């Protein structure tokens, strides 16, 4: 679960911290983004003066594609989350807490339940890896004919058939790869 009841924590001394393991947690991310592995990690909740600070380190994986040859690959995802949550109801007085001070903060519900589902979903969808490879030395697709160079041995075209613009692109790609 990514939902935590913090009523006890709200009554503890400021600075008190609770740790919760996250194990084999499955969740829907988006229609076009599915988890390839369940979420694992740890959530740490600590009591601040009037708020709960939630930090989480979570790992999972999503389905992606090699950026060179377009083979399907599983992409590891590692996210750090830090959120401040304010009560909706004051734990001591039972009175509603004004939202005006911290409009950006998460809100606990009326039962002091903290739900990290939405921040976690958002962090995972923003953590999509920029450049994925099926293996570090993936040879990619032939720039001339599009054949997968990993499976085509000794693939070559005669010099004449190579468009100079594509040759320049290949050179540029080789340089950017070696960075
Ligand atoms: Zn590849
Ligand atoms: Zn080719």
């Amino acid at each position: 679960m990514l939902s935590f009841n913090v009523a006890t924590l709200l009554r503890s001394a400021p600075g008190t911290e609770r740790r919760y393991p996250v194990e084999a947690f499955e969740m829907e991310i988006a229609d076009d983004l599915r988890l390839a592995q369940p979420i694992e990690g740890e959530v740490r909740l600590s009591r601040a003066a009037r708020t709960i600070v939630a930090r989480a380190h979570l790992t999972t994986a999503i389905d992606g594609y090699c950026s060179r040859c377009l083979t399907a690959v599983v992409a590891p995802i590692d996210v750090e989350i830090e959120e401040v949550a304010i009560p909706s109801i004051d734990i001591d007085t039972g009175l509603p807490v004004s939202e005006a001070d911290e409009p950006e903060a998460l809100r606990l519900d009326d039962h002091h339940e903290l739900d990290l589902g939405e921040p976690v979903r958002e962090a995972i969808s923003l953590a999509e890896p920029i450049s994925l490879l099926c293996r570090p030395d993936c040879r990619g697709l032939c720039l001339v004919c599009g054949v997968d160079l990993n499976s085509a041995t000794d693939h070559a075209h005669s010099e004449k058939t190579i468009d100079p613009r594509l040759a320049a692109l290949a050179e540029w790609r080789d340089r950017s790869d070696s960075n």
Side-chain angles (χ1 to χ4, degrees), residues 66-71 73 132-135 138-140 150:
C66 174
S67 60
R68 288 186 202 157
C69 72
L70 307 180
T71 301
V73 289
L132 275 177
L133 294 177
C134 61
R135 59 183 209 224
C138 172
R139 299 173 64 206
N150 297 302

Side-chain angles (χ1 to χ4, degrees), residues 5-81:
N5 194 288
V6 295
T8 313
L9 190 55
L10 284 169
R11 290 195 181 91
S12 326
T16 305
E17 186 181 79
R18 298 260 186 282
R19 288 165 180 256
Y20 301 90
V22 176
E23 284 161 351
F25 184 76
E26 309 263 5
M27 77 188 298
E28 298 272 324
I29 303 296
D31 286 345
D32 58 350
L33 184 64
R34 303 208 168 268
L35 294 185
Q37 278 169 25
I39 301 171
E40 308 277 344
E42 186 180 57
V43 171
R44 287 178 290 143
L45 304 180
S46 56
R47 157 89 206 271
R50 294 165 41 251
T51 61
I52 297 290
V53 180
R55 294 185 183 87
H57 178 210
L58 303 170
T59 58
T60 181
I62 59 165
D63 292 321
Y65 298 93
C66 174
S67 60
R68 288 186 202 157
C69 72
L70 307 180
T71 301
V73 289
V74 168
I77 295 276
D78 194 304
V79 290
E80 297 277 353
I81 289 158

Side-chain angles (χ1 to χ4, degrees), residues 37-172:
Q37 278 169 25
I39 301 171
E40 308 277 344
E42 186 180 57
V43 171
R44 287 178 290 143
L45 304 180
S46 56
R47 157 89 206 271
R50 294 165 41 251
T51 61
I52 297 290
V53 180
R55 294 185 183 87
H57 178 210
L58 303 170
T59 58
T60 181
I62 59 165
D63 292 321
Y65 298 93
C66 174
S67 60
R68 288 186 202 157
C69 72
L70 307 180
T71 301
V73 289
V74 168
I77 295 276
D78 194 304
V79 290
E80 297 277 353
I81 289 158
E82 180 165 334
E83 293 283 341
V84 172
I86 56 174
S88 297
I89 303 288
D90 187 287
I91 192 86
D92 298 317
T93 64
L95 295 172
V97 175
S98 162
E99 206 164 329
D101 300 355
E102 312 220 27
E104 298 293 301
L106 283 179
R107 300 282 285 183
L108 305 181
D109 74 6
D110 292 353
H111 305 286
H112 311 293
E113 194 81 18
L114 168 59
D115 184 0
L116 288 177
E118 206 43 55
V120 167
R121 186 173 291 117
E122 197 171 301
I124 290 173
S125 49
L126 293 175
E128 251 185 292
I130 293 156
S131 178
L132 275 177
L133 294 177
C134 61
R135 59 183 209 224
D137 60 346
C138 172
R139 299 173 64 206
L141 303 179
C142 174
L143 284 172
V144 177
C145 68
V147 77
D148 185 342
L149 296 174
N150 297 302
S151 48
T153 50
D154 295 335
H155 182 79
H157 297 269
S158 70
E159 289 292 328
K160 282 194 287 295
T161 63
I162 297 176
D163 185 317
R165 286 167 303 174
L166 289 177
L169 181 62
E171 195 178 290
W172 173 83

